[in-house]
Amino acid sequence: MSAFFDLVSDKVASAIWAMVVASLLPWAVSIMAKVSGGFRVRNNAHPRDFFQHTTGMAARANAAQQNSYETLPVFLAAVLVAMLFFVPQSIINVLAWLYVIIRIGYCTAYITNLSTFRSILWVLSMACCLMLFYLAIRVSV
């Protein structure tokens, strides 16, 4: 675990990059959903209709994409609030990148149908966000 902390910079740019990667993750998973579901150019006219008829890996990848979009605002707000209240940047960066890594694992677990592991990873990713909010509250008191 110490190696992970050593890899994360203590600069603000590190947290911003984590926010960028987290924002691009749903898009990357949507590509996987489209490829695995046999998405064609003609499906672009009604992509949601296409996804309503997918099953298996494509449907799970689409669900992972949707969940990633649902949790993204909480993560972005948590990082920004922590920065606004001057939580130490190194802590923000570690929690931000930990969130990203956990979310990548979450999407992988969702796509490969590891439901219990997926749920554990979801809780851990939300714990990163809640910890950022908690630290902002502690600093502001």
Side-chain angles (χ1 to χ4, degrees), residues 77-92:
V79 171
L80 293 174
V81 166
M83 292 168 112
L84 180 67
F85 285 95
F86 302 106
V87 171
Q89 193 63 48
S90 59
I91 295 172
I92 295 171

Side-chain angles (χ1 to χ4, degrees), residues 50-90:
F50 167 81
F51 281 122
Q52 286 179 346
H53 296 95
T54 59
T55 58
M57 184 175 163
R60 290 190 305 272
N62 185 50
Q65 170 201 4
Q66 291 173 345
N67 184 267
S68 294
Y69 278 125
E70 292 165 358
T71 61
L72 184 61
V74 177
F75 169 67
L76 297 175
V79 171
L80 293 174
V81 166
M83 292 168 112
L84 180 67
F85 285 95
F86 302 106
V87 171
Q89 193 63 48
S90 59

Side-chain angles (χ1 to χ4, degrees), residues 7 9 40 85 96 130:
L7 289 175
S9 166
R40 302 285 181 251
F85 285 95
L130 293 175

Side-chain angles (χ1 to χ4, degrees), residues 87-136:
V87 171
Q89 193 63 48
S90 59
I91 295 172
I92 295 171
N93 294 350
V94 166
L95 287 170
W97 280 109
L98 193 57
Y99 171 88
V100 170
I101 291 167
I102 291 169
R103 289 302 300 182
I104 291 170
Y106 170 87
C107 290
T108 303
Y110 211 136
I111 292 166
T112 58
N113 204 21
L114 300 171
S115 58
T116 303
F117 186 52
R118 177 193 82 212
S119 297
I120 292 167
L121 292 174
W122 183 89
V123 169
L124 292 174
S125 70
M126 289 296 99
C128 291
C129 298
L130 293 175
M131 182 57 77
L132 286 167
F133 283 124
Y134 172 76
L135 292 171

